[in-house]
Amino acid sequence: MIRVLDKHVADKIAAGEVIDRPISIVKELVENSLDADATSITVEIRGGGKEYIRVTDDGCGIDEKYAEIAFSRHATSKIRDEKDLDAIGTLGFRGEALASIAAVARVEMITSTEDETPGRSLRIDGGTIVENKPIGCPRGTTITVRDLFYNVPARLKFLASENGESRRITDMMSRIALAYPDVRFRLINGGRDVFSTAGSGNILDNILRIYGRDLEKDLLPVDFTRDGSIIRGYVSKPSLSTSTRSRQYFCVNGRVVSSKTVEKGLEKGYRERLFTGRHPVAFLFISVPAKTVDVNVHPTKKEIRFNDPFAVEDMVEEGVRKALSAGEAVASLDAKATKDTISQQAKEPAASVGETDQGVQVDVKNLLKTLRSSVEEDGMDYIPEIPREEGVSEEPERLDITSMDIVGVVLDTYIITTLEDTMYLIDQHAAHERVLYESLLTRYESEESPSQTLLTPLQFTVSAETSGAENEWIPALRRMGYDIEPFGDKVYIVRQVPASLGSEEAEAFVRQFVMDLEDKPDIRDHADLERLIMRSCKSAVKGGDRLHQAEIRSLLEQLDSCDNPYSCPHGRPVFVKMTRYELERMFKRA
Ligand code: ADP
Ligand code: MG
């Protein structure tokens, strides 16, 4: 038998699609507040949002004529006809959030469109309006949701623990707050302030208010533009990394998104700066021409699609690499960092951020703006502006390695230098490895620096297999500056080596190089070649060598001309630093 369902039953079923847990209520209510142009939004939850959710805004409010209608299904002020629907229909403008919430909880709304005129107070229980009366209140809307799923107990058991639900909400609210730096947000959980932002538009201030002041010393600004596209924000110094990507936050054209493309670019930007398996903390704001992103993503999917993902990946990589080229990126030798500068975990942020599986689409308002402006500005070339943060410059200052004063070497390994008010420790082996690696790669790529002739030519024998593949590796060595030739059966002779290497280094390098070839003589892939060079450099660096002043000076000069002087090719730091202040603190002078 087919029958028409009772309205309340139908509402409850429909509600289940939109409202499956407290986070979806918070998301819908906060989106509504943003749509209402609120400048201040307060979210208060209790019992993980299962017991109590209240969202207060200072937005446009709802006129008393429409207060009840707002709670009926398909009631929306945002769509007038089918044309609008085409533009925004897939992004959650279904006009059913309030109706759905009201169907599965006890809801109260207080709203007013102006400060002076009285507003309305409504109470809706399980979808039925039980009260609607005038009330004096400031402009804006407050919606309180109590006893979620009190009338659909079956759904309650699908909810996570109180803490689990709170964590999801906190994570989402953190992301929303970051995406809207001009709006003041306040999140209260169980009567305790989780965070509040200032609405000042300052991204760094927002990050620190949400994740804690401690983070500041670990962040570097990103500021990069290419062909009008912009990437700004903050990334962590290599001394701060995490084991998951949960502390990466991307905002593209005003929308909080997750993106494999941006993730990849970020990871590549940190190549040789972090060990594999470690992930940077990142807050990246990216603006690209509206036409180059797919805005028609599914409403429950937060993944964004770029028309040219490689261009975006490349831009992120470049932007991040540039940020990391700042001398500021050198890790401080402070108490915590000394223990383990590489695997040190991010400090637990003020808002403890867990990984969530929730699709967070908090972009509607901005997206709508983007859509509108792109139409208004007549063209999908429109790129939303991201203001540059105060005190951030586009050209990060590199570490001036050549101006350092050399103090000495300790333990035959660590060079101590000073520059202005800071002391640096330099791992001579890591530095050396970096210098060898870059000089050989540069040489390989440019084919132009000179070679030097060995007094005694070098001879070595390889396996039949390696010998059979000589057409692959001999040219590679020649491009690096080696004069190498076959010299009988499986025997090769080297008469010249790259001038940038000492003859001992050059010999050690080439011996290791051919030895490693035994495992994998096919080096047509550039990445394989790079890996091979990297490994051979490592073994060309001798341990425990006592360096003379002149050798140190020359090492520092070569290091200075490296693209990335800050880490060895494997991601170990070359430099750590200690400021005068940190020294003074250690000796209890400050
Ligand atoms: P939608 O957001 O898809 O339009 P909702 O059910 O979420 O549907 O809201 C219904 C309508 O109620 C909105 O279109 C808007 O006009 C009004 N509304 C809801 N929340 C607010 C708010 N906080 N401030 C002002 N108006 C609101
Ligand atoms: Mg809505």
Side-chain angles (χ1 to χ4, degrees):
M1 187 169 68
I2 299 172
R3 69 169 124 216
V4 178
L5 291 175
D6 168 74
K7 173 184 175 296
H8 286 276
V9 178
D11 278 354
K12 277 201 237 173
I13 293 171
E17 315 245 315
V18 190
I19 306 303
D20 57 351
R21 44 189 0 135
I23 189 181
S24 24
I25 296 183
V26 177
K27 170 181 170 285
E28 295 288 347
L29 294 181
V30 171
E31 276 179 6
N32 280 348
S33 297
L34 288 167
D35 285 342
D37 281 326
T39 62
S40 168
I41 301 173
T42 300
V43 175
E44 191 176 348
I45 58 170
R46 271 185 236 145
K50 295 185 256 190
E51 244 169 68
Y52 181 93
I53 296 171
R54 186 168 71 183
V55 176
T56 305
D57 70 49
D58 63 350
C60 63
I62 304 177
D63 192 279
E64 59 175 314
K65 291 196 291 292
Y66 303 115
E68 285 194 17
I69 298 172
F71 285 91
S72 47
R73 202 153 287 284
H74 307 304
T76 176
S77 55
K78 296 160 196 172
I79 298 173
R80 277 153 305 156
D81 54 32
E82 272 182 61
K83 224 169 63 248
D84 290 346
L85 206 59
D86 276 346
I88 55 180
T90 55
L91 284 148
F93 283 82
R94 286 165 299 186
E96 57 189 26
L98 287 186
S100 301
I101 295 167
V104 293
R106 297 183 216 279
V107 175
E108 271 176 55
M109 175 173 83
I110 293 173
T111 186
S112 169
T113 54
E114 266 165 81
D115 278 328
E116 267 74 53
T117 51
R120 295 308 286 183
S121 162
L122 268 77
R123 256 183 45 218
I124 307 102
D125 273 357
T128 311
I129 299 194
V130 294
E131 193 182 281
N132 179 352
K133 60 175 192 204
I135 192 171
C137 63
R139 187 188 115 121
T141 305
T142 298
I143 294 183
T144 313
V145 179
R146 286 190 178 86
D147 305 331
L148 177 61
F149 296 142
Y150 78 96
N151 54 353
V152 234
R155 292 211 147 256
L156 276 176
K157 67 170 184 287
F158 290 106
L159 300 185
S161 67
E162 188 179 319
N163 281 343
E165 297 294 342
S166 303
R167 226 179 6 251
R168 285 167 205 250
I169 293 172
T170 301
D171 181 43
M172 180 186 70
M173 284 307 299
S174 311
R175 288 167 186 271
I176 296 180
L178 282 171
Y180 295 88
D182 295 317
V183 177
R184 257 186 301 142
F185 284 94
R186 184 163 175 216
L187 176 64
I188 303 164
N189 183 5
R192 271 187 40 245
D193 258 309
V194 181
F195 69 78
S196 50
T197 63
S200 62
N202 184 291
I203 292 173
L204 181 61
D205 179 60
N206 248 17
I207 294 173
L208 300 181
R209 279 168 184 268
I210 298 166
Y211 295 98
R213 293 269 147 204
D214 259 7
L215 200 57
E216 182 163 21
K217 63 172 182 12
D218 294 312
L219 294 180
L220 289 170
V222 178
D223 191 331
F224 188 72
T225 47
R226 177 187 284 172
D227 304 334
S229 294
I230 311 167
I231 162 164
R232 296 210 162 115
Y234 292 84
V235 292
S236 56
K237 297 177 184 173
S239 51
L240 177 74
S241 63
T242 58
S243 57
T244 69
R245 292 197 176 86
S246 63
R247 287 185 180 85
Q248 299 181 352
Y249 163 91
F250 311 136
C251 191
V252 176
N253 287 5
R255 328 162 61 182
V256 178
V257 296
S258 72
S259 159
K260 290 270 172 281
T261 302
V262 180
E263 251 174 37
K264 253 215 206 126
L266 178 64
E267 218 87 327
K268 281 181 152 182
Y270 276 84
R271 217 170 53 114
E272 298 176 14
R273 301 303 294 272
L274 283 180
F275 283 154
T276 26
R278 302 298 300 175
H279 304 280
V281 175
F283 305 93
L284 293 180
F285 293 75
I286 298 170
S287 272
V288 292
K291 68 174 175 204
T292 67
V293 286
D294 190 351
V295 291
N296 276 325
V297 283
H298 189 270
T300 60
K301 279 196 196 137
K302 50 178 178 167
E303 180 85 27
I304 191 169
R305 272 202 301 273
F306 296 99
N307 293 354
D308 188 352
F310 295 111
V312 175
E313 186 183 310
D314 207 60
M315 176 170 105
V316 173
E317 178 185 350
E318 275 306 300
V320 167
R321 196 182 296 275
K322 203 171 125 199
L324 292 177
S325 74
E328 270 295 296
V330 171
S332 247
L333 195 73
D334 68 6
K336 275 169 238 124
T338 33
K339 274 195 212 119
D340 181 357
T341 47
I342 287 144
S343 65
Q344 184 196 0
Q345 290 280 341
K347 325 248 165 343
E348 204 48 41
S352 109
V353 172
E355 265 182 301
T356 69
D357 50 359
Q358 279 287 327
V360 180
Q361 206 132 29
V362 293
D363 48 311
V364 273
K365 185 183 165 201
N366 264 344
L367 180 69
L368 194 62
K369 266 199 204 143
T370 313
L371 282 175
R372 272 197 211 116
S373 1
S374 53
V375 175
E376 278 160 17
E377 300 190 7
D378 195 26
M380 297 295 271
D381 284 332
Y382 169 72
I383 303 175
E385 174 60 21
I386 311 166
R388 169 169 294 154
E389 296 278 284
E390 225 176 279
V392 172
S393 89
E394 208 172 346
E395 283 310 320
E397 230 178 281
R398 283 177 61 108
L399 192 58
D400 186 2
I401 302 170
T402 48
S403 302
M404 288 179 165
D405 287 321
I406 300 166
V407 178
V409 181
V410 285
L411 306 174
D412 285 345
T413 307
Y414 305 102
I415 303 165
I416 299 178
T417 66
T418 54
L419 180 66
E420 284 156 13
D421 255 4
T422 304
M423 176 183 100
Y424 292 86
L425 282 173
I426 303 166
D427 178 331
Q428 75 180 42
H429 302 297
H432 208 145
E433 213 181 317
R434 164 55 61 185
V435 166
L436 285 189
Y437 176 68
E438 281 202 20
S439 78
L440 285 169
L441 262 195
T442 317
R443 170 88 204 218
Y444 179 86
E445 273 148 19
S446 68
E447 296 178 83
E448 53 196 24
S449 53
S451 301
Q452 51 176 331
T453 308
L454 291 176
L455 290 179
T456 341
L458 173 70
Q459 268 187 43
F460 53 83
T461 313
V462 301
S463 71
E465 198 193 342
T466 304
S467 175
E470 66 178 25
N471 287 342
E472 283 164 28
W473 56 267
I474 286 195
L477 281 172
R478 286 196 179 135
R479 282 181 67 164
M480 286 179 241
Y482 283 91
D483 172 14
I484 178 168
E485 275 170 33
F487 196 67
D489 186 27
K490 290 174 285 193
V491 180
Y492 295 82
I493 187 161
V494 175
R495 294 204 171 82
Q496 289 195 322
V497 296
S500 59
L501 269 55
S503 57
E504 274 174 57
E505 279 162 10
E507 284 194 33
F509 177 86
V510 78
R511 282 189 189 282
Q512 187 64 42
F513 194 86
V514 289
M515 205 144 82
D516 284 343
L517 275 172
E518 304 283 318
D519 303 333
K520 196 174 185 309
D522 181 357
I523 49 167
R524 271 166 298 185
D525 186 345
H526 194 72
D528 286 337
L529 176 70
E530 272 183 36
R531 261 194 297 278
L532 187 58
I533 294 180
M534 198 191 288
R535 265 194 310 209
S536 308
C537 283
K538 188 176 163 64
S539 46
V541 171
K542 291 145 284 147
D545 285 351
R546 190 158 297 173
L547 298 183
H548 300 293
Q549 189 85 4
E551 289 171 313
I552 296 174
R553 182 52 69 201
S554 134
L555 181 62
L556 294 190
E557 264 154 29
Q558 294 178 69
L559 201 54
D560 191 63
S561 56
C562 284
D563 266 350
N564 166 20
Y566 305 114
S567 66
C568 83
H570 307 89
R572 272 185 215 93
V574 169
F575 293 89
V576 290
K577 70 175 176 203
M578 199 168 214
T579 59
R580 175 189 291 273
Y581 175 72
E582 285 162 345
L583 278 165
E584 285 173 348
R585 220 178 32 188
M586 264 178 62
F587 288 103
K588 314 271 184 243
R589 285 159 163 268

